[in-house]
Amino acid sequence: MSFGLTPSQTVGPFFSHALTWLDGPDVVPESEPGAFWLRGRVFDGAGEPVPDALVESWQASPEGRFDHPDDPRGAVSGFRGYGRSATDDEGRWGIRTVLPGRVPGVDGRLQAPHIDLSVFARGLLDRVVTRVYFAGQPANAEDPVLSALSSDRRETLVAAVAQDGYVFDIRLQGERETVFFSV
Amino acid sequence: MTDLVVPGYRRDPGGTHPPLASPGYGSTVLRAPHQAPVPLPHTLTEITGPVLGEGRVLPTDSDLTRQHDGEPLGERIIVHGRVLDSDGRAVPDTLVELWQANSAGRYAHARDQHPAPLDPNFTGVGRCLTDSTGRYRFVTIKPGAYPWRNHENAWRATHLHFSLFGRAFVQRLVTQMYFPGDPLFFQDPIYNAVPEAARGRMISSFDLSETEPEWALAYRFDIVLRGREQTPVETS
Ligand SMILES: [Fe+2]
């Protein structure tokens, strides 16, 4: 017996009063050792900032674990792993987080540290999904997801080092379009 | 390390979701990616997801008519249903978020310029957790239709916005719930961007059994998220 899946629809332009939480950007509290800001901007195909997007993040703890019952290694309690930030008028978003640990891939080999992102916006009838990797991580070179991409496309997934953390811009369309994944 | 290899979720079959490039909806033109999406394997990051709710949802959050000193104007309705996966299994204890226009068709959002009145007694934002059998229930008012500038004399079909987390990153869903028999369906490109066979899944059904006599009408809206992949069976 299979039930038909509910289709996706856009978040529309008027969601930020509903989906913004005071602690939305706080994947970790300010006091967390190693905490940094992961910030970026969202751009459309004309290079204009997208002021009505919502960026959500999901990641492992620094130990590469999840507070989740389906992690076969056991749930590690207390690491939220989740962040949410609506873009401002200049298309800027940001979350305060820590570098995730390495998580095994489907063949059991460890992946490079990564954060999954969902982007919702007016004009996006379904979310788009991307992954943030981090500049300077030696494991990037052997990550199966990154390695499968051409070098110019791979670059769109690697956050650059910034003063207070990392920068990751999201280009929805056109030149230097971010790699988006189907999940 | 094969004990860390866990079954993923089934990929969405074609004919489920609207294509990102749906030019009838003008805002997709500069926002839909041009490149085809790259298939991402379902690793532990994708088959887990945020477990939200504890401390984040108050009992009053699911009654949008009780969030201010007075009652909002409009037709009081109950909106309820179940969150299931495609195998019919309940998705328990998962966060459901709801937001909507007021009965005049205006959002309590700073950028909504539609010249219809705001209602000081209605914010139009609700949240709740599904119970152990995947059920959720909101009390709200029926939103009004509102115009937008997508095309000549464009009006959105009356809708509620829903946000669902499921239990895994790959189950995340944002959708809209519609009302049966809406005369605006034919000209709404957001609704019609969904493949025809799947559109009806976004339409709630009038539910006499859940109405409250002399108080509120009721609509039922079940939401189906993707299910787990079956563990492969050895055939040799
Ligand atoms: Fe809307």
Side-chain angles (χ1 to χ4, degrees):
Chain A
M1 182 68 189
S2 183
F3 292 70
L5 298 174
T6 305
S8 170
Q9 293 271 270
T10 177
V11 284
F14 305 133
F15 59 81
S16 59
H17 62 309
L19 302 185
T20 304
W21 303 335
L22 270 181
D23 66 347
D26 305 339
V27 180
V28 297
E30 201 170 355
S31 57
E32 187 83 4
F36 60 79
W37 281 92
L38 173 63
R39 301 181 200 272
R41 297 177 74 191
V42 182
F43 297 100
D44 71 11
E48 294 296 322
V50 175
D52 43 15
L54 180 74
V55 178
E56 289 183 346
S57 69
W58 174 244
Q59 67 172 88
S61 72
E63 295 76 38
R65 305 288 290 270
F66 298 95
D67 185 0
H68 194 280
D70 292 343
D71 186 331
R73 303 165 298 177
V76 171
S77 135
F79 186 74
R80 192 174 99 174
Y82 171 75
R84 157 183 266 194
S85 172
T87 55
D88 69 10
D89 288 348
E90 270 79 54
R92 289 185 292 235
W93 61 276
I95 57 166
R96 183 173 51 224
T97 189
V98 285
L99 195 69
R102 299 182 67 181
V103 172
V106 285
D107 59 359
R109 283 193 301 152
L110 290 174
Q111 304 177 83
H114 61 270
I115 297 179
D116 279 8
L117 294 187
S118 300
V119 184
F120 304 86
R122 170 175 66 85
L124 286 179
L125 283 161
D126 196 354
R127 67 168 168 170
V128 290
V129 168
T130 188
R131 263 191 177 190
V132 181
Y133 288 85
F134 296 88
Q137 289 295 315
N140 287 349
E142 61 194 49
D143 183 84
V145 173
L146 276 184
S147 304
L149 300 167
S150 66
S151 64
D152 58 323
R153 298 222 72 207
R154 192 185 306 151
E155 258 170 46
T156 70
L157 300 186
V158 182
V161 177
Q163 201 178 0
D164 61 352
Y166 291 86
V167 178
F168 186 83
D169 289 335
I170 298 162
R171 293 179 178 79
L172 292 176
Q173 184 191 88
E175 209 182 326
R176 289 184 291 153
E177 181 176 305
T178 302
V179 170
F180 296 108
F181 296 101
S182 58
V183 293
Chain B
M1 293 183 79
T2 45
D3 56 323
L4 298 181
V5 178
V6 291
Y9 282 74
R10 284 202 292 277
R11 306 272 166 168
D12 293 343
T16 300
H17 299 298
L20 290 171
S22 291
Y25 173 24
S27 297
T28 67
V29 172
L30 281 172
R31 293 185 171 189
H34 285 160
Q35 306 263 358
V38 176
L40 185 69
H42 290 179
T43 76
L44 281 175
T45 316
E46 287 72 38
I47 64 118
T48 56
V51 181
L52 299 162
E54 192 103 345
R56 203 164 285 283
V57 177
L58 302 171
T60 50
D61 286 348
S62 62
D63 187 342
L64 288 75
T65 70
R66 295 265 181 255
Q67 296 173 348
H68 298 272
D69 289 342
E71 283 206 79
L73 294 173
E75 179 189 340
R76 202 182 288 119
I77 57 173
I78 292 157
V79 175
H80 76 106
R82 291 182 75 198
V83 182
L84 307 167
D85 71 15
S86 51
D87 297 311
R89 279 191 287 256
V91 183
D93 309 314
T94 189
L95 181 64
V96 181
E97 296 169 296
L98 165 74
W99 71 104
Q100 62 168 100
N102 69 23
S103 61
R106 175 100 182 250
Y107 286 88
H109 186 287
R111 278 202 286 262
D112 188 354
Q113 297 299 305
H114 175 39
L118 286 166
D119 185 337
N121 290 315
F122 193 70
T123 307
V125 175
R127 53 183 73 89
C128 70
L129 292 177
T130 59
D131 71 11
S132 60
T133 64
R135 288 186 190 283
Y136 73 89
R137 182 178 185 272
F138 290 103
V139 180
T140 185
I141 52 97
K142 193 171 183 184
Y146 60 85
W148 57 316
R149 299 206 168 100
N150 186 72
H151 55 276
E152 174 70 23
N153 197 19
W155 293 74
R156 288 301 324 282
T158 302
H159 61 276
L160 307 180
H161 295 267
F162 271 83
S163 155
L164 287 299
F165 284 84
R167 65 185 279 135
F169 178 80
V170 297
Q171 284 186 313
R172 183 86 176 93
L173 179 73
V174 169
T175 189
Q176 298 181 25
M177 182 203 102
Y178 296 92
F179 291 88
D182 194 319
L184 294 168
F185 283 144
F186 80 97
Q187 58 82 65
D188 185 334
I190 292 179
Y191 170 78
N192 287 299
V194 170
E196 191 171 4
R199 278 175 212 156
R201 300 174 197 160
M202 301 183 293
I203 305 177
S204 58
S205 54
F206 175 67
D207 185 358
L208 186 67
S209 71
E210 284 295 312
T211 56
E212 289 192 14
E214 295 172 44
W215 185 252
L217 295 179
Y219 293 86
R220 177 169 185 143
F221 181 52
D222 289 340
I223 298 162
V224 181
L225 308 176
R226 60 173 72 180
R228 302 293 295 243
E229 223 166 43
Q230 303 305 310
T231 310
V233 178
E234 300 276 334
T235 51
S236 56

